[in-house]
Amino acid sequence: MKIQDLMFISVVLALLVIQKSKWFLYMGLACFALAIPLFAKWIFFTGERLTWYGAGFLLIAVIIQVFQVHKVESS
């Protein structure tokens, strides 16, 4: 595991404790925004990792949203 993987896991765990889907959305968009200049500078490994991290953040945001809506409707 590289340092960027450890940072991703620690940020995901910290955000899971908070469970704010907006923050996951913002982190995912930030990862995509940071990946663009890396691809432009031909730094493909880190750019690719950031796109995967961005997709992971967005997936978690969607999952949290689905479960929050489900909780509200069933009450």
Side-chain angles (χ1 to χ4, degrees):
M1 284 186 125
K2 295 196 177 249
I3 187 81
Q4 60 202 22
D5 296 332
L6 296 174
M7 287 176 55
F8 170 72
I9 291 170
S10 64
V11 169
V12 166
L13 290 176
L15 289 177
L16 281 174
V17 170
I18 298 170
Q19 285 192 356
K20 300 240 180 197
S21 64
K22 278 188 181 180
W23 291 12
F24 281 103
L25 176 66
Y26 295 146
M27 287 299 295
L29 294 175
C31 285
F32 289 136
L34 289 173
I36 292 170
L38 290 174
F39 280 121
K41 292 184 180 185
W42 295 73
I43 305 173
F44 292 121
F45 179 75
T46 306
E48 180 189 8
R49 287 285 176 127
L50 281 173
T51 56
W52 280 103
Y53 298 155
F57 280 125
L58 293 179
L59 178 67
I60 294 171
V62 168
I63 290 171
I64 289 174
Q65 280 288 354
V66 166
F67 284 117
Q68 284 179 348
V69 168
H70 183 65
K71 280 187 206 175
V72 171
E73 288 180 2
S74 65
S75 298

